[in-house]
Amino acid sequence: MTVAKPLPHDAAALHVTGQARYVDDIPLPADTVHLAFGLSQIARGRITGMDLSAVRAAPGVIAVMTADDLPFANDVSPSIHDEPLLADGTIHHAGQPVFLVIAESHLAARAAARLGVVACDEETPILTVEEALAADSRFEGGPVIWAKGDVEAALASAPERLSGTLRLGGQEHFYLEGQAALALPQEGGDMHVVSSTQHPTEIQHKVAEALGLPMHAVRVECRRMGGGFGGKESQGNALAVACAVAARATGRPAKMRYDRDDDFIVTGKRHDFRIDYRAGFDREGRVHALDFTQLCRCGWAQDLSLAVADRAMLHSDNAYRIGALRVASHRLKTNTQSATAFRGFGGPQGMAGVEAVMDRIARHLGMDGVALRRRNFYEAARARGPSAPSGESRGAPPSPEDVSGRKKQGEADLTSRGATKISSGTGAAQRFGGAHSPPPPGGANVTHYGMEVTDFELHAMTDRLLETSDYAARRTAIADWNAGSPVLKRGLAYAPVKFGISFTLTHLNQAGALVHVYQDGSIHLNHGGTEMGQGLFQKVAQVTAERFGLPVESVKITATDTAKVPNTSATAASSGSDLNGMAAQNAADQIRDRMAACLAPLYQAEPAAVRFEDGEVVVGEERMPFAEAARICYMNRVSLSAAGYYRTPEITWDRLRGQGRPFYYFAYGCAVTEVVIDTLTGENRILRADILHDCGRSLNPALDRGQIEGGYVQGAGWLTTEELVWDAKGRLRTHAPSTYKIPACSDRPQVFEVALWDGENRSETVYRSKAVGEPPFMLGISAWLALADACAACGPHDPMLNAPATAEEVLAAVGRARG
Amino acid sequence: MDKTREITLTVNGESVTARVPVRMNLVDFLRNELELTGSHVGCEHGVCGACTLLMDGRTTRACLTLAVQADGAEVVTVEGLAASGRSAALARAFTERNALQCGFCTPGMLASAVTWVEGGGSAERDAIRAHISGNYCRCTGYQSIVDAIADVAGSKAEDAA
């Protein structure tokens, strides 16, 4: 077996010797030009004039471009064409690109960009969600509301009620490799772009628009990224388009990479949220009603915000079957960076909201947090039931006005997941939500968006994790320890994760692959997924090799290339292995079937009986090396190349009504984290983390473990040390690692126990594996909850801990607990 | 005023003489002039550690070092560590332990790890964590990196015993 082996990363040997090439490492043609943006210094206003003479006169400068110099579309938006490459007269945020410097070197371009003088009529920026609400500054008209049950009635009749407000900060991706692109002009006006991107097809699309070319004239390649995390799903568009436009204008290759400060200041981050909640429950801990109002700060452009905000709504139940649940989501437009995709894509914010409420209820009732959560879990999946129920049973058929899953003619953008401006200005979404919605179909084990939960694994997983982490004994020991420790306090918390897998924009759930078998038996693999470190390339290579019964070394992994596999979706939504693994399997199986059909009659065998195993092909009584089989097929004029394709079955989603089955399945995980805080300073440490995570039948346990460990630490970073600070003028003040603190090695848990749940996906995914990119990120919520638990040990009141729980916030929460 | 200087230094065992702008960073000199692109540019102000290399045997931030400061020095990058075999055991351990994902931090991480192992550093995890606390990794969560360094430090200690 090649699949399920814990093989190392495909490029490990290149990384440890310094040979792995990122965009910035590619040897350049001698006449390459280098680019830098001149950035807006103010957050909002109208441009009244620009003096770029000093820029043009600066050493090494070849040309300077403004919006007026762009030959075709001035747009780098992945959704509704609201994101000009260069400001078109209006300034939307501090750090917005205003002009483009083309120079002989990277440093010359950057130095010259500082010399531009942009005169503006400055306006008061809208920076906070409160300011945006007051100004009714939004994407989509009015809030989107999805609900299950009669929330007001359930709240009114509940024996106990709580309400409150929670703030969750944003997060900078801090991919170690900053954004970068390189454009190489080709004959006849064609353009070849090399980009550090999770979405080559979108780069191709935007470059084609900017050059006035059909997509076939633009080829985009990406061998690897130095980290992506969602930050290279749409944020690479600007650099690639700038390079293409500059290359067209100068006739020379053009390269651009952001300096780290510019990367922080220009590009989008995770959406920060304010979540207002009301909860109704009984004294046994059964939650009757939850009402969430999510204020989502989207920044200046729509980007992917609608889909992010949708996913936050979709994860507001997390693992809990709540009788009445309503989520109202406000997508607020502010004069800040355009918030964008980031691992979890809104899911973490929705989940952190309900987990904070669960903890608060538990403290209010004096119950253990785990006991309270288990009382409200979805019902367990049947012991070994059917893989997944059929799609027909769920959700009403789409209504005539349903435009979910596709885009309106005219503003179609078929390659992104930004979603179109479905209901902007109409408030249409609101009509379908609220307490007046028809009751959702299906049985009781149904989410607030009408999807039956049939694969719930968390009962058994929680049992095992509580045992392996020795939760009960540690809970008691920590209480005793805290009683004798006035300054240092420990905290312990459990958090479950139920994360929906599939793009919520249904048409994106498709993928292609291209497989060649050469006459010497070696194999060339290409697919639409991109490699950002997660190990996707190796997993898909393992699947391909497995189909031919070969070791993974037989398969050459190649750069993602829009000329080989077209119309790809972003490598996002954790979908890379699910989609591309299946597409590659499909391609390999086509070739395998053709080979079997060729070989069987030569040896008096049936094609169905031909086996590919252990590097050999077995045909009747004959065994031959795979290379010999490939040679025979070639000599018999058999095509040894195939394009594979896959689309996820059974998913249907009516976005306006908030009803359907948006996810093919759920991935599960749970974590127990222990922390200690210093109540005098707020300083804190993660002492121990125990994780049990569900990867289905793992394609590669080593790579999956890496995703789990890294995801947890990144999630804990979001909720603890990673703080973004904008000043009153809307300038981001934490624009480099000197002031923005991602977890360092010394910040990770001292004891870190990670185990994989040994189940298999109940849905028919590639080798019954489960997606693993995003779900473990949310295990980090347990660290934040543990900090709240430690704060709660300081006094009788609820600490109402916000995120990020910096030392300052922890100190404030200790104060709130003491009252 | 002449804003360039001639420098002579040893890079990965080879003597190099070049005329460089006085404000050129060592990492830019290595990457752009010598095409040694294994040393990566992450934050360019000495925090992330992606450009870490060895200068006269000490771990050095090549983004905070001017090329002219390396005049007369012995510089070893990840390419040199690999070619000489100095990082072979660590490279093996990083591969086996899956101590890299996107790989961008790996060259700098290896440079720091080499000084730990060659300096007789122990397999004690807290000490390793402190030693590499100046090298950011955004992917792995560091667990596997500490495992890999501990493996090599531990087996080296066994060999010595």
Side-chain angles (χ1 to χ4, degrees):
Chain A
M1 287 288 282
T2 307
V3 158
K5 273 190 182 166
L7 298 176
H9 191 276
D10 77 271
L14 301 177
H15 288 308
V16 297
T17 53
Q19 296 178 78
R21 272 188 190 161
Y22 304 85
V23 172
D24 198 30
D25 303 336
I26 295 170
L28 298 174
D31 60 345
T32 303
V33 300
H34 298 261
L35 313 181
F37 286 129
L39 305 178
S40 165
Q41 303 302 306
I42 65 161
R44 187 182 182 194
R46 297 286 308 173
I47 298 173
T48 56
M50 270 191 263
D51 180 1
L52 303 177
S53 54
V55 185
R56 293 181 207 281
V61 171
I62 297 162
V64 182
M65 299 179 88
T66 65
D68 293 339
D69 301 316
L70 299 173
F72 293 95
N74 177 18
D75 181 68
V76 293
S77 162
S79 49
I80 56 163
H81 301 269
D82 63 343
E83 206 170 324
L85 171 70
L86 299 173
D88 56 5
T90 307
I91 297 295
H92 297 279
H93 80 100
Q96 184 181 347
V98 177
F99 59 92
L100 176 66
V101 184
I102 305 172
E104 297 288 353
S105 74
H106 173 71
L107 287 178
R110 292 198 65 224
R114 303 294 168 99
L115 304 175
V117 179
V118 180
C120 294
D121 274 345
E122 198 167 346
E123 297 165 30
T124 305
I126 296 170
L127 300 176
T128 64
V129 289
E130 288 79 10
E131 290 165 5
L133 262 189
D136 201 31
S137 173
R138 316 166 167 270
F139 298 102
E140 291 198 291
V144 175
I145 302 173
W146 297 338
K148 159 187 168 183
D150 187 338
V151 172
E152 292 303 334
L155 277 171
S157 65
E160 297 272 345
R161 280 181 293 279
L162 281 172
S163 63
T165 290
L166 166 69
R167 288 181 184 276
L168 299 165
Q171 185 177 27
E172 161 64 32
H173 303 84
F174 208 88
Y175 27 66
L176 261 269
E177 177 215 23
Q179 306 275 351
L182 167 65
L184 302 155
Q186 306 294 304
E187 62 184 22
D190 291 1
M191 197 61 70
H192 179 193
V193 177
V194 185
S195 168
S196 181
T197 178
Q198 294 172 239
H199 200 347
T201 289
E202 186 150 86
I203 298 279
Q204 178 193 23
H205 183 185
K206 302 312 293 187
V207 167
E209 283 182 356
L211 297 181
L213 294 173
M215 285 172 77
H216 70 42
V218 179
R219 176 182 166 209
V220 179
E221 249 189 308
C222 177
R223 174 57 184 86
R224 66 172 57 80
M225 285 161 271
F229 314 115
K232 292 173 180 171
E233 184 168 341
S234 62
Q235 302 299 298
N237 294 358
L239 299 89
V241 169
C243 286
V245 168
R248 162 76 66 85
T250 60
R252 296 162 64 173
K255 179 173 152 181
M256 184 175 205
R257 73 170 173 85
Y258 287 157
D259 160 83
R260 182 62 62 177
D261 297 84
D262 287 354
D263 206 315
F264 266 77
I265 289 168
V266 176
T267 68
K269 296 142 205 344
R270 183 184 296 283
H271 294 68
D272 51 57
F273 272 60
R274 186 183 105 189
I275 300 177
D276 299 340
Y277 59 86
R278 295 186 296 158
F281 48 96
D282 59 35
R283 291 176 191 105
E284 286 70 51
R286 180 74 216 169
V287 180
H288 296 195
L290 284 177
D291 181 30
F292 289 108
T293 301
Q294 298 178 341
L295 306 184
C296 172
R297 193 167 71 140
C298 301
W300 70 281
Q302 182 170 300
D303 194 356
L304 308 171
S305 289
L306 304 193
V308 169
D310 286 358
R311 192 170 273 268
M313 298 174 76
L314 291 167
H315 288 80
S316 295
D317 59 335
N318 194 14
Y320 312 112
R321 183 163 58 105
I322 308 296
L325 173 61
R326 178 172 59 196
V327 190
S329 169
H330 299 255
R331 294 89 195 269
L332 298 164
K333 183 177 180 175
T334 53
N335 295 112
T336 49
Q337 289 80 359
S338 176
T340 191
F342 196 142
R343 200 176 196 173
F345 204 70
Q349 293 93 321
M351 215 176 273
V354 69
E355 290 304 328
V357 174
M358 285 289 166
D359 256 18
R360 191 157 169 227
I361 294 171
R363 280 193 284 272
H364 179 83
L365 295 173
M367 272 180 84
D368 178 71
V370 182
L372 178 98
R373 285 177 169 83
R374 300 188 68 144
R375 194 151 294 171
N376 291 284
F377 269 172
Y378 284 104
E379 288 167 17
R382 283 187 295 273
R384 187 67 276 157
S387 60
S390 75
E392 281 81 16
S393 63
R394 237 148 318 287
S399 54
E401 67 272 38
D402 174 21
V403 292
S404 64
R406 64 183 172 85
K407 304 246 176 147
K408 283 180 188 167
Q409 296 286 323
E411 56 178 7
D413 175 352
L414 297 170
T415 60
S416 83
R417 58 167 166 162
T420 192
K421 201 173 165 184
I422 292 174
S423 62
S424 180
T426 67
Q430 199 168 7
R431 289 205 305 274
F432 295 97
H436 305 296
S437 297
N445 212 42
V446 168
T447 66
H448 56 297
Y449 46 91
M451 177 169 167
E452 191 176 352
V453 180
T454 58
D455 59 4
F456 196 75
E457 310 281 0
L458 280 167
H459 292 274
M461 289 178 69
T462 302
D463 283 343
R464 188 183 303 171
L465 181 70
L466 294 187
E467 191 185 324
T468 58
S469 66
D470 201 19
Y471 176 87
R474 286 166 64 203
R475 167 64 64 208
T476 309
I478 286 168
D480 292 346
W481 190 88
N482 282 344
S485 175
V487 173
L488 300 182
K489 296 287 184 189
R490 292 191 178 196
L492 183 71
Y494 158 91
V497 169
K498 162 180 141 288
F499 192 77
I501 302 298
S502 291
F503 286 101
T504 56
L505 209 53
T506 303
H507 80 261
L508 297 177
N509 295 289
Q510 58 174 322
L514 180 67
V515 174
H516 306 318
V517 173
Y518 293 101
Q519 52 189 301
D520 68 349
S522 66
I523 293 172
H524 174 110
L525 169 64
N526 198 270
H527 54 80
T530 56
E531 177 64 42
M532 59 197 102
Q534 81 278 44
L536 170 68
F537 279 11
Q538 184 73 316
K539 282 186 172 181
V540 179
Q542 285 176 260
V543 169
T544 307
E546 179 78 28
R547 304 312 285 179
F548 291 110
L550 295 171
V552 75
E553 295 75 24
S554 305
V555 177
K556 171 63 75 181
I557 290 167
T558 57
T560 317
D561 185 340
T562 58
K564 288 185 179 171
V565 175
N567 306 322
T568 58
S569 295
T571 305
S574 305
S575 69
S577 301
D578 280 11
L579 297 177
N580 296 289
M582 281 298 224
Q585 175 174 314
N586 174 252
D589 287 358
Q590 291 177 46
I591 298 171
R592 208 173 63 164
D593 289 349
R594 285 181 219 148
M595 292 178 74
C598 168
L599 295 167
L602 301 180
Y603 299 95
Q604 292 78 50
E606 287 300 315
V610 175
R611 299 198 311 278
F612 295 76
E613 58 187 29
D614 302 326
E616 292 183 324
V617 181
V618 183
V619 193
E621 300 297 309
E622 188 72 18
R623 296 184 80 93
M624 69 186 83
F626 181 79
E628 174 64 9
R631 194 192 65 80
I632 293 171
C633 290
Y634 166 69
M635 294 303 291
N636 282 280
R637 298 192 294 171
V638 172
S639 165
L640 294 175
S641 174
Y645 182 77
Y646 176 74
R647 59 172 173 248
T648 311
E650 298 181 26
I651 45 179
T652 60
W653 175 234
D654 180 344
R655 180 172 176 270
L656 288 189
R657 294 173 60 243
Q659 288 290 310
R661 180 184 176 180
F663 305 123
Y664 189 34
Y665 63 91
F666 294 101
Y668 298 92
C670 47
V672 169
T673 299
E674 181 177 343
V675 300
V676 62
I677 65 170
D678 181 332
T679 58
L680 299 178
T681 64
E683 283 178 277
N684 53 80
R685 290 277 181 280
I686 299 177
L687 299 175
R688 173 172 170 180
D690 293 76
I691 291 171
L692 181 58
H693 195 81
D694 163 31
C695 302
R697 191 180 286 160
S698 173
L699 288 174
N700 182 322
L703 296 176
D704 284 355
R705 182 176 292 267
Q707 289 298 298
I708 296 164
E709 292 170 358
Y712 172 89
V713 169
Q714 198 175 65
W718 167 49
L719 294 167
T720 56
T721 62
E722 298 187 34
E723 184 178 33
L724 292 162
V725 179
W726 285 266
D727 68 16
K729 287 182 156 301
R731 293 173 299 191
L732 179 66
R733 306 315 292 185
T734 50
H735 52 76
S738 47
T739 45
Y740 182 80
K741 292 299 182 189
I742 70 167
C745 187
S746 40
D747 297 321
R748 53 162 282 282
Q750 286 168 357
V751 179
F752 201 5
E753 300 292 341
V754 174
L756 305 190
W757 178 243
D758 48 8
E760 65 169 30
N761 198 335
R762 292 162 196 267
S763 295
E764 290 177 30
T765 52
V766 60
Y767 289 94
R768 298 275 178 180
S769 63
K770 284 196 178 185
V772 72
E774 292 163 296
F777 179 91
M778 284 147 278
L779 297 169
I781 291 171
S782 63
W784 176 60
L785 299 177
L787 288 170
D789 186 57
C791 294
C794 298
H797 305 288
D798 197 281
M800 305 286 279
L801 186 68
N802 295 299
T806 58
E808 190 179 3
E809 170 62 16
V810 167
L811 197 59
V814 168
R816 289 191 288 269
R818 286 173 175 158
Chain B
M1 194 180 95
D2 182 14
K3 291 187 176 174
T4 63
R5 288 283 184 282
E6 186 171 284
I7 57 171
T8 298
L9 64 162
T10 306
V11 179
N12 298 334
E14 283 184 44
S15 179
V16 175
T17 298
R19 182 159 281 277
V20 298
V22 292
R23 293 185 60 180
M24 177 179 271
N25 290 330
L26 178 58
V27 70
D28 289 341
F29 173 70
L30 294 167
R31 291 176 53 82
N32 300 338
E33 307 301 317
L34 304 187
E35 295 180 359
L36 291 169
T37 53
S39 300
H40 296 145
V41 171
C43 73
E44 297 182 83
H45 62 265
V47 180
C48 80
C51 64
T52 307
L53 45 72
L54 303 185
M55 191 160 103
D56 292 333
R58 296 164 56 113
T59 52
T60 301
R61 298 277 204 249
C63 74
L64 289 187
T65 307
L66 297 171
V68 293
Q69 289 177 280
D71 191 19
E74 188 180 340
V75 170
V76 182
T77 68
V78 66
E79 292 94 340
L81 290 173
S84 67
R86 275 174 81 179
S87 60
L90 281 163
R92 224 173 10 254
F94 268 58
T95 303
E96 284 165 4
R97 286 287 193 172
N98 199 30
L100 55 89
Q101 288 180 27
C102 86
F104 204 80
C105 73
T106 307
M109 199 67 86
L110 281 172
S112 291
V114 160
T115 59
W116 179 252
V117 172
E118 290 185 353
S122 74
E124 208 246 310
R125 302 179 66 85
D126 275 354
I128 293 171
R129 286 157 52 120
H131 182 76
I132 62 166
S133 62
N135 289 82
Y136 276 166
C137 169
R138 190 55 153 165
C139 298
T140 64
Y142 302 101
Q143 176 85 349
S144 53
I145 294 173
V146 177
D147 287 344
I149 298 171
D151 281 355
V152 177
S155 65
K156 194 157 180 270
E158 272 176 33
D159 290 348

